[in-house]
Amino acid sequence: MVAGATIREIDYRLSDLAFPLEPLLDSIGPYTSAVLIANPNNPTGTGVDLNGILCILEKARNAAVLIDEAYFEFSGLTALPLIQRCPNLFVSRTFSKVYGMAAMRIGCLFSCPRNIAWLRKAQSPYSVNTLAVLAARAAIQDRAYIENYVAEVLAARDLLRSGLDDLGIPYYPSEANFILMRIGPRSIEVRDRLREKGVLVRDRSYDIPGTVRVTVGTREQIGRFLEELKEIWQ
């Protein structure tokens, strides 16, 4: 990396892609300077609970612990309440997921006042453009839209799970707005044939062999996806 850090990645268990809490705790040592966690994770969709986060914060008490909550609205779990009692905790959010503002390139970071004061010393004076700030302010004020959208996505996620169960297609549990299917050797074929029908999914075989990630939209969109997948799968 540019800063000269040595990166160590902790693998997830392929059996269920559950968060590797114990291996992560074992990897934290006296020279660990930062622990970065996506919760829920992408592309697995799995996450760690607050008790697990507390264990990490305690083990890495001399390191900065960043919890990326890009998909928080779909999981409902946040580490924000821990900031007052854990001075090494940072929580990041983005406007690119539930708010649909990826092109604005804007997010936010939470921590205790002392940490934020230090971060501001390294912050660029033009780190975020004015239009993005105005858009973000308007977005967070429209709570009704977000609540309705999240409710629709969660209902569509249940529909997707049920449809995959009916087709006998295994998948990993997900707390985000996507599901990782275990297609097997047909993953590329399924992706390409769906694309021909105007349905786009992501092959993730380069991460986990034989997997395809499906983003959860509306129930209507998931219904269309399941119809097309059924024709391909049978």
Side-chain angles (χ1 to χ4, degrees), residues 43 151-183 190 194 199-202 212-230:
E152 176 66 20
V153 169
L154 295 182
R157 190 174 68 185
D158 289 339
L159 177 62
L160 176 56
R161 289 170 176 161
S162 178
L164 294 177
D165 288 338
D166 291 342
L167 291 172
I169 299 176
Y171 56 90
Y172 293 103
S174 175
E175 299 174 36
N177 66 331
F178 54 81
I179 286 182
L180 192 65
M181 306 185 300
R182 294 155 53 192
I183 296 291
V190 169
L194 284 171
V199 178
L200 300 181
V201 295
R202 291 188 177 184
V212 172
R213 203 197 84 164
V214 182
T215 298
V216 180
T218 64
R219 281 170 285 186
E220 180 181 359
Q221 291 169 334
I222 291 301
R224 163 83 188 284
F225 164 76
L226 290 171
E227 288 178 4
E228 302 293 357
L229 180 61
K230 184 176 180 180

Side-chain angles (χ1 to χ4, degrees), residues 6 11 33 36 42 56 98 104 124-125 147 184 199 225 234:
T6 299
D11 293 330
S33 57
L36 311 179
N42 180 16
I56 296 167
V98 71
M104 292 291 186
S124 166
E147 291 171 2
V199 178
F225 164 76
Q234 292 180 341

